[in-house]
Amino acid sequence: MSADRPGLHTVTQGRGLLFGGDYNPEQWPEHVWEEDAALMRKAGVNLVTVGVFSWGRLEPSPGERDFAWLDRVLELMHGAGVAVDLATPTASPPPWLGHHFPRTLPVNEAGNTLWYGARNQWCPSSRDYHARSTAIVTDLVERYADHPAVAMWHVGNEFGQVCYCDEAAEEFRFWLRQRYTGLDALNEAWGTTFWSQHYSEWEQVLPPRLAPYIVNPSQKLDWARFCSDELLAHYKAERDLIRELSPGKPITTNYMGFFKPVDYWSWAPEQDIISNDWYPDLSDPRFPARAALTHDLMRSLAGGKPWMLMEQSTGAVNWRPHNLPKPAGQLRLESLQAVARGADGLCYFQWRQSAFGAERFHSAMVPLAGPDTEAHAEVRAHGLELHELHDIAGTEVRADVALLHDWHSWWAAEERARPSDRLSVVEQLTDYYHPLWRRGVTVDLAHPSSELSPYRLVIAPQLFVISDADAVKLTEWVRAGGVLVVGPFSGISDPRGHLHTGRFPAPLRDVLGASGEAWRPVDGEVECAWRDETGFKQGFFTARDWTETIRAEGAEVVATFPGDGPAVTRHAFGAGVAWYVATLPDAAALAELTARFMADAQVSGVLAELPEGVEAVRRGDLLWVLNHGDGTVSVPFEGDAVDVLTGSPLRDGVDLAPRGVAILRQHAGPPATR
Ligand code: GLA
């Protein structure tokens, strides 16, 4: 995102928070469109995403064009005062593309073709796909570039395709040649002396296709990089076309949270608007914290600026094995949670529930039962309420704490052959995030090579790959006063996937004042002991699955494994502190450790005390308090405030109903005397 480009502010200007959803009128006869427009107005809808899956309607046969229906849709939306986020239809090619241009169809790692009949059947490296998608996008954008209904552009949908075909292999080799110039460098980087994998001609180099045994991890790591870059190249090609033909309108594509195949750090600078699709699993007890973590990732990708929740569901999805509906109040709570964490757009998949096709059982803003339903009443009430909050658009959220996350490290860490598959990058991020969230501490996600000066506490729950330059930077940041926490299996590999030699984590050994020599996964739990400054045991906690043989080299030992080897160390280094946690502590122990990290970093939550299940975050000058629990809770705070939602004055605390939300404007100065 660049400052001189149009952005989300271009769309929110004069509209406030954006509310709406994916609108697929091509699934309905035109008389329903009229009802849609009327209902949208009543529900305060001000933005709809149109055309995501309309390639087959726009180009029913190769080269044919039918834009007349879309003309009418855009006119109708414009007349209803609903802005359009117009999508390029390239996520779902019509069957004719695969039929006439079979090389557009993706091939999986086993060499099987993935056919049309669903969606997403395109190979990111296919020249035929590129030519045909560019043609339809050009005509679409030329036609609607200046249409007054079109407020922004939406490229494709949820980029994530991977293809192992011969054309992809060619492109992979091209990408590798840019990276390594010569085969010698490639052989060196991939460590091909192992198992006799030496390449003597470029033509021998392939994607990591299905093979008899474990495929070279460095080859797979480069393949993951290539796949993300290849999709990005496709996104950029469409984007550049739109920029040329429709300058002045911002462009987005929708992310999928912690979606492993795509490195969103490299994508984010290429987008005018960061947008995300978020479908929590209500059967996961930690889903509210996961939601917060994912929203914080989006805000961080947007460089701290507002972002958009492009898709969420009003109720149940239909693609999990068992799909829980949302209780009353949940859709509002989830949407306001995203606003609290920096979202300026709250959109849903989809406006009207489909009567046919693969998503017949997916909830929508207008259910099949029609507008006279509890579900639609909730949607309408929420839309109107968001309207009242228009001033919030554009305000920002600040964090003192960062969690380090790097897609390349994630790819490298979760290789097939490793000490334990019970280590999970995203689970460890969530484990460390959760106690901070519980205490109302706002967290950003940061790439390890990003600027860390805004933060006082930086946590790397599992940073398997760390470059020497980043390790030096982190070390100097601690020396200058930062507080760093490093979790297990961090600092183990270089960016090629070669493990560092010497005691681990080699590049962070000095700053941690501790080092290890062996990973020792365990089956189930181990009992660890807290130690005081004199080394005495001060209680116990459990950890699971993972232990290490480490020794303190200047750090104090905070906790030990059975057998008395260090499990957690703390090292005063320069003006800062570096912690090393060599296991997966249980939630209570991580909460205890988090309190100590916070004390070292002098970081505190936005409220002194938060009842279980209550989330608190400050956006702009407003304090948001959200009750994710099923019971009424009282949340204490000091002094006077006004609840912006109700206008009620409050003193010293607020009561929140189940799934209730309060947005507080606190009054400066000491509390008034009673
Ligand atoms: C994704 C897609 C939508 C729809 C929803 C269903 O987010 O982008 O087209 O399939 O999932 O949950």
Side-chain angles (χ1 to χ4, degrees), residues 53 119 157-158 254 277 279 311 317 319 349 359 362:
F53 299 112
R119 66 177 185 192
N157 192 55
E158 296 189 333
N254 44 345
D277 299 348
Y279 295 98
E311 289 182 30
V317 299
W319 39 262
F349 176 83
E359 294 182 323
H362 196 291

Side-chain angles (χ1 to χ4, degrees), residues 145-456:
D146 302 316
H147 195 292
V150 177
M152 59 184 279
W153 291 95
H154 184 294
V155 175
N157 192 55
E158 296 189 333
F159 277 87
Q161 288 69 21
V162 175
C163 177
Y164 293 78
C165 74
D166 289 344
E167 229 174 327
E170 254 177 64
E171 289 297 308
F172 184 38
R173 287 192 285 269
F174 180 76
W175 183 92
L176 289 167
R177 279 172 187 261
Q178 317 282 307
R179 188 175 175 87
Y180 295 113
T181 56
L183 260 190
D184 287 349
L186 176 113
N187 279 307
E188 161 69 23
W190 287 11
T192 56
T193 50
F194 185 81
W195 283 351
S196 191
Q197 291 170 351
H198 180 83
Y199 294 96
S200 56
E201 296 164 308
W202 275 104
E203 289 62 36
Q204 298 158 9
V205 178
L206 290 174
R209 290 178 177 161
L210 191 62
Y213 193 45
I214 303 163
V215 174
N216 183 321
S218 297
Q219 178 187 2
K220 284 177 69 184
L221 180 55
D222 271 345
W223 173 249
R225 291 180 171 123
F226 161 76
C227 289
S228 178
D229 284 359
E230 191 73 340
L231 284 171
L232 180 58
H234 184 82
Y235 163 79
K236 281 164 72 175
E238 286 200 30
R239 179 208 62 186
D240 290 348
L241 234 162
I242 300 170
R243 278 192 180 170
E244 190 193 323
L245 297 170
S246 182
K249 295 194 180 173
I251 306 167
T252 191
T253 188
N254 44 345
Y255 292 166
M256 289 179 274
F258 286 90
F259 178 65
K260 198 170 173 188
V262 177
D263 171 14
Y264 291 145
W265 289 125
S266 69
W267 282 57
E270 308 294 343
Q271 289 186 212
D272 299 326
I273 295 174
I274 298 301
S275 67
N276 192 43
D277 299 348
W278 173 246
Y279 295 98
D281 181 355
L282 270 59
S283 66
D284 168 4
R286 294 204 294 186
F287 83 85
R290 278 187 207 278
L293 171 63
T294 308
H295 300 339
D296 289 350
L297 172 66
M298 292 306 137
R299 188 187 62 250
S300 305
L301 288 163
K305 301 274 179 241
W307 56 281
M308 230 185 125
L309 187 51
M310 182 61 84
E311 289 182 30
Q312 52 181 332
S313 67
T314 57
V317 299
N318 73 331
W319 39 262
R320 292 196 173 98
H322 186 64
N323 298 290
L324 298 180
K326 293 188 179 173
Q330 184 69 23
L331 83 83
R332 171 179 183 264
L333 171 65
E334 288 181 13
S335 205
L336 290 179
Q337 182 189 25
V339 183
R341 295 190 170 274
D344 274 3
L346 298 307
C347 294
Y348 290 82
F349 176 83
Q350 60 177 329
W351 166 251
R352 190 180 278 277
Q353 186 175 352
S354 303
F356 47 79
E359 294 182 323
R360 292 168 300 171
F361 296 107
H362 196 291
S363 61
M365 298 170 85
V366 182
L368 283 180
D372 181 19
T373 47
E374 288 172 11
H376 185 68
E378 263 200 71
V379 165
R380 189 178 288 182
H382 181 51
L384 298 177
E385 177 180 60
L386 284 177
H387 229 59
E388 300 301 310
L389 297 175
H390 54 87
D391 283 352
I392 284 159
T395 59
E396 294 184 13
V397 176
R398 269 208 61 255
D400 293 327
V401 180
L403 287 182
L404 297 185
H405 179 58
D406 172 18
W407 262 263
H408 297 236
S409 175
W410 186 9
W411 296 328
E414 294 182 357
E415 244 309 310
R416 175 174 154 194
R418 56 184 157 135
S420 168
D421 67 2
R422 296 189 198 169
L423 288 189
S424 149
V425 168
V426 171
E427 289 315 299
Q428 274 172 251
L429 278 171
T430 313
D431 290 346
Y432 278 83
Y433 183 81
H434 195 264
L436 291 161
W437 176 81
R438 274 283 298 115
R439 289 167 157 264
V441 177
T442 312
V443 174
D444 280 347
L445 279 292
H447 186 274
S449 47
S450 66
E451 178 57 49
L452 298 178
S453 56
Y455 306 111
R456 296 216 287 272

Side-chain angles (χ1 to χ4, degrees), residues 25-28 30 33 53-60 65-67 69 72:
E26 61 270 35
Q27 296 175 14
W28 296 94
E30 295 203 15
W33 304 0
F53 299 112
S54 65
W55 192 343
R57 270 303 290 272
L58 297 173
E59 188 174 10
R65 293 287 182 267
D66 178 4
F67 286 116
W69 67 275
R72 293 197 292 281

Side-chain angles (χ1 to χ4, degrees), residues 528-531 541 556-561 564-569:
C528 300
W530 294 110
R531 301 281 176 158
F541 65 92
E556 70 185 275
V557 176
V558 174
T560 49
F561 291 120
D564 295 345
V568 180
T569 59

